[in-house]
Amino acid sequence: SCDGGLWKVGQQLMSEDAFEAALTSLGLRKFEIPGPKSGSRHLFEIFAEVARTRLSAVSGNHAEPVAFGFAEHRAFNAFAHRTSKDIVCLYSTPIRVLWSFFNAMMENRQIFPWIDEDDVLGGAAPPLALAPKGDLFFICEDASDKPIRQRLARALFDVAADFLLMHELGHLRNGHVALLQQRAGARPFREFPHDAADKFEIPEVEAMEFDADGFAIQKVFERVHRETPFAEFTEGLLHDHRLAADGAYTASWYFAWFAVYSVFRLFDEAMEISEIPHMQPPAALRQACLLPTIAALASANGWSALSLQQWVNLATDAGLEAERTVTSLRGMKPDARGYMAAWSGAAFERLGHYLETWQHLGPQLAALKGDSVPAE
């Protein structure tokens, strides 16, 4: 066991060396995580540990772990890369944005007001979700006595950040990085705006982004089914929302969709603020395209008794709630009409677009996938 421990330490050091070398080659700087402070640890330190454990757990047939870390950057971005090791890098900004967003939304009493009802809190006065000023990113890991709103903020962040992480892993496992490097040399597969766009047709890039989203959403819902992180919110959610109950999973399905839609919406907002054109469909359309995947996955594995229409009802309710939340915090009006338009045929047209591209792209990726599983 001692030899095994030394091997793990050696592998971790090699991963860190490979990660830092990749950042240097790309002109990026590693984000240095602040140390503990007053009995709390920095969010990035906690998430880095979770991410490495998660990447190891879903490594499939890969013997070596994926090198993981953060880069200092103001963009809402990330990349997957392959050098001497597989590498996933998240920029520091999306982690900060997601953590700040979910905490800020839970401090607004007009968002999910049912959480503060006496029968949920046991009559206790609802404390603020946010940490003391200046300490937002330093958190205590003991969640047993955390206020209920703070627990929900943390659980939503965990799902949203996990989606980002699994999306980048999808680029590695589904052969996207390998195909880019086959066509263009040792380059990372970045999120939009793509430096890969000159090596692929735009429909190919869009299809690979959808493929990575599909990989990520399945991994997220597998985890949510296993851990049911939102079970304690089921009663209040069903009291406030007309949703089909699905046992212990109702709230977990709902808040998983809420968290993933928030990632999409905040990414769109970041692109708009930066005035950077991007090729991704709007958040509602991305969500609508992924719904059949989750409905099929849940049915095939016996996870859920919901019909496809019930899944649609649940996902649209969660997405509209997330849309209202993002826009209310930003002082904007929600685009409910635009949101619902994504569910009136646009998703099927978009899926047809992806599948048409997949006829020639799929076979190329199948030979380059990281696992011994054919491309679907």
Side-chain angles (χ1 to χ4, degrees):
S1 62
C2 181
D3 289 344
L6 290 173
W7 183 84
K8 288 182 179 179
V9 171
Q11 287 293 308
Q12 181 62 42
L13 291 173
M14 290 172 62
S15 293
E16 290 177 3
D17 289 344
F19 179 79
E20 293 192 30
L23 291 189
T24 299
S25 70
L26 298 169
L28 295 169
R29 180 183 297 177
K30 180 182 177 182
F31 175 76
E32 298 296 340
I33 301 173
K37 174 180 173 183
S38 63
S40 299
R41 292 203 297 160
H42 199 274
L43 170 70
F44 281 72
E45 180 185 2
I46 296 170
F47 180 70
E49 292 177 359
V50 171
R52 291 188 179 106
T53 300
R54 177 79 162 129
L55 288 168
S56 178
V58 296
S59 61
N61 296 331
H62 294 260
E64 292 186 349
V66 175
F68 170 79
F70 306 103
E72 287 186 5
H73 210 289
R74 296 177 64 186
F76 197 100
N77 214 322
F79 68 80
H81 198 16
R82 178 167 291 163
T83 58
S84 60
K85 285 183 173 289
D86 285 348
I87 294 167
V88 167
C89 175
L90 301 183
Y91 290 6
S92 55
T93 293
I95 300 299
R96 290 182 180 277
V97 168
L98 289 173
W99 181 254
S100 301
F101 170 73
F102 289 122
N103 276 277
M105 63 169 263
M106 295 314 303
E107 196 175 47
N108 185 332
R109 301 300 179 203
Q110 295 179 348
I111 297 171
F112 302 132
W114 48 268
I115 293 176
D116 299 327
E117 294 179 2
D118 287 346
D119 59 342
V120 177
L121 279 174
L128 294 179
L130 290 176
K133 188 175 181 180
D135 291 335
L136 176 62
F137 296 99
F138 285 93
I139 58 178
C140 176
E141 291 185 88
D142 181 12
S144 59
D145 60 347
K146 284 284 192 302
I148 192 167
R149 282 183 170 271
Q150 198 169 0
R151 294 203 299 274
L152 180 54
R154 173 68 182 271
L156 287 166
F157 168 82
D158 286 345
V159 170
D162 189 48
F163 183 85
L164 289 179
L165 185 71
M166 292 297 100
H167 178 98
E168 296 310 318
L169 184 64
H171 283 313
L172 284 164
R173 294 293 181 259
N174 288 359
H176 309 163
V177 175
L179 183 60
L180 171 62
Q181 294 187 346
Q182 188 180 83
R183 294 191 186 184
R187 300 173 71 175
F189 202 101
R190 300 178 191 267
E191 295 314 302
F192 289 108
H194 266 301
D195 58 359
D198 59 339
K199 301 300 177 184
F200 294 105
E201 298 293 331
I202 289 178
E204 292 180 321
V205 178
E206 292 177 332
M208 285 187 286
E209 287 299 335
F210 175 68
D211 192 32
D213 279 349
F215 179 94
I217 200 75
Q218 291 181 66
K219 296 301 182 186
V220 163
F221 272 80
E222 286 172 6
R223 177 189 169 196
V224 165
H225 176 264
R226 183 175 63 253
E227 299 177 3
T228 57
F230 302 97
E232 66 176 309
F233 302 99
T234 302
E235 183 180 350
L237 179 70
L238 289 176
H239 184 267
D240 202 59
H241 296 257
R242 293 183 177 180
L243 301 173
D246 197 21
Y249 302 106
T250 311
S252 290
W253 301 149
Y254 180 92
F255 284 113
W257 283 118
F258 183 99
V260 171
Y261 182 89
S262 298
V263 173
F264 292 157
R265 189 63 175 79
L266 292 168
F267 177 83
D268 291 348
E269 181 187 64
M271 294 296 100
E272 292 169 10
I273 291 172
S274 302
E275 297 184 344
I276 297 174
H278 67 96
M279 295 168 273
Q280 291 279 48
L285 186 51
R286 292 177 74 183
Q287 182 201 38
C289 287
L290 291 172
L291 179 72
T293 295
I294 293 307
L297 180 73
S299 176
N301 287 283
W303 293 350
S304 172
L306 297 180
S307 67
L308 178 59
Q309 185 57 54
Q310 288 171 327
W311 272 109
V312 170
N313 295 343
L314 186 147
T316 52
D317 195 307
L320 278 170
E321 187 86 60
E323 174 70 17
R324 286 192 293 266
T325 300
V326 172
T327 53
S328 67
L329 290 177
R330 300 296 191 266
M332 303 181 296
K333 291 183 178 180
D335 183 13
R337 183 172 298 177
Y339 180 90
M340 296 308 295
W343 297 85
S344 62
F348 295 102
E349 294 175 8
R350 174 63 58 165
L351 287 169
H353 168 77
Y354 292 141
L355 289 171
E356 183 178 350
T357 302
W358 202 253
Q359 290 179 9
H360 76 272
L361 183 62
Q364 296 178 61
L365 293 170
L368 300 170
K369 280 175 65 71
D371 294 324
S372 57
V373 179
E376 298 181 358

